[in-house]
Amino acid sequence: MTSNTPEFALSLERRLAVPRAAVWRCWTEPALLCQWFCPKPWGVSHADIELHAGGRFFTHMVGPNGEQMPNAGVFLQVEPGRKLVFTDAFVSAWVPSGKAFMVGEITLADAPGGGTHYLARALHWSEADMQQHEAMGFHEGWAAATRQLEELAATL
């Protein structure tokens, strides 16, 4: 295992037919993030984004039957237009959460021939957490949300 290949990672990689700048906006502007971040019929009712290391990354997800899922976290790394790394290991600044589940890593690059090379990874502390995320529908859910992201980015 190397630092570039974490042991407990789930990944989604796509070529999106939209400009990288539009994808970045969808990830970093709360009003846009609320429109695509959860696979329908779920949605995001509210998002807070403080775009710097240690800054707040909060989403409040709402399910079709009234389920409420607030998700507090922070950004660990922000490279404008290129990379976001965030985690739920902290609830604000460097205040630890009760239980860390994952680190999210979003990497954007210009794709050959146009569009965006999009790599989303969920990095987990344990195999059990990774398997739980997979059982929750990681592959289907993140793929659906990415399609929604691409559709929204195409309108910008």
Side-chain angles (χ1 to χ4, degrees):
M1 180 175 89
T2 68
S3 62
N4 290 332
T5 309
E7 187 174 2
F8 307 117
L10 298 171
S11 298
L12 175 110
E13 191 168 10
R14 299 280 188 276
R15 183 197 166 277
L16 305 181
V18 292
R20 182 165 45 98
V23 176
W24 181 257
R25 284 188 60 200
C26 289
W27 263 102
T28 60
E29 295 179 23
L32 295 175
L33 186 102
C34 287
Q35 295 178 52
W36 71 267
F37 192 68
C38 291
K40 293 178 178 25
W42 283 74
V44 175
S45 64
H46 177 77
D48 289 327
I49 296 174
E50 296 173 359
L51 207 52
H52 58 85
R56 181 171 166 85
F57 183 45
F58 174 85
T59 58
H60 186 262
M61 297 183 219
V62 180
N65 299 311
E67 302 94 336
Q68 304 288 317
M69 292 190 63
N71 295 291
V74 299
F75 288 104
L76 300 173
Q77 182 180 3
V78 176
E79 293 180 26
R82 299 193 178 281
K83 189 172 190 177
L84 292 171
V85 181
F86 52 91
T87 186
D88 63 351
F90 302 100
V91 292
S92 65
W94 306 116
V95 176
S97 66
K99 161 93 170 68
F101 182 62
M102 64 167 255
V103 172
E105 180 184 77
I106 307 302
T107 306
L108 309 175
D110 293 330
T116 302
H117 177 258
Y118 181 81
L119 175 61
R121 297 193 315 168
L123 315 173
H124 304 86
W125 273 262
S126 70
E127 183 173 4
D129 285 345
M130 182 185 73
Q131 289 174 348
Q132 178 187 354
H133 202 176
E134 213 163 17
M136 290 166 55
F138 169 85
H139 296 290
E140 299 83 8
W142 282 42
T146 300
R147 285 189 298 275
Q148 294 167 183
L149 162 65
E150 184 175 27
E151 290 168 7
L152 178 60
T155 69
L156 302 179

